[in-house]
Amino acid sequence: MVLLCAVLAAVLSSCSDETSSTVASGSSGEALYQESCASCHGSDLRGTDQGPPHLSQVYASDHHPDASFRAAISQGSRAHHWNFGDMPPVEGLDDDEIDRIIAYVREQQEIHGLEPYPPS
């Protein structure tokens, strides 16, 4: 019985560690977004007077695929859908951090849906 309890405790501990690391890596995209993107694109991804909303259908994956997000973050982007001016590159993010930001944006788009463009 003691051995069974020890094995069960080890399994539960292992599951707990995996769950907490998954949650931590999933939430890190949100933290990176809040730190690097929210000042222009809004903490709720609905835009500000400095930048457009990432919940717009303009940013649907079939119109702006992940590679477009990656290029905009790392190289900047010329204004082409909105009148906010050109977007400068976001400094200090590595490829993994950019991937986590994109994953967070896509997750939020799926959760909240996409808003029509042009906005009404």
Side-chain angles (χ1 to χ4, degrees):
M1 181 66 157
V2 172
L3 179 59
L4 178 60
C5 289
V7 169
L8 184 57
V11 168
L12 291 175
S13 173
S14 170
C15 291
S16 174
D17 290 345
E18 287 177 26
T19 302
S20 60
S21 67
T22 301
V23 170
S25 66
S27 63
S28 66
E30 178 179 9
L32 288 164
Y33 183 92
Q34 296 303 327
E35 182 179 310
S36 302
C37 310
S39 63
C40 292
H41 296 285
S43 61
D44 61 358
L45 287 78
R46 287 186 161 73
T48 70
D49 61 354
Q50 300 293 309
H54 282 142
L55 295 180
S56 169
Q57 70 186 55
V58 165
Y59 295 108
S61 60
D62 63 345
H63 185 74
H64 278 90
D66 293 357
S68 295
F69 271 93
R70 187 171 291 101
I73 293 168
S74 62
Q75 301 166 18
S77 177
R78 296 184 60 94
H80 57 284
H81 287 291
W82 313 91
N83 294 320
F84 295 103
D86 295 343
M87 177 183 152
V90 180
E91 302 294 329
L93 295 171
D94 64 30
D95 289 341
D96 180 61
E97 292 168 323
I98 292 171
D99 288 344
R100 287 187 276 162
I101 289 170
I102 295 167
Y104 172 71
V105 170
R106 296 301 186 203
E107 173 188 65
Q108 293 305 299
Q109 289 174 337
E110 193 171 311
I111 290 169
H112 299 287
L114 296 172
E115 299 168 354
Y117 177 84
S120 41

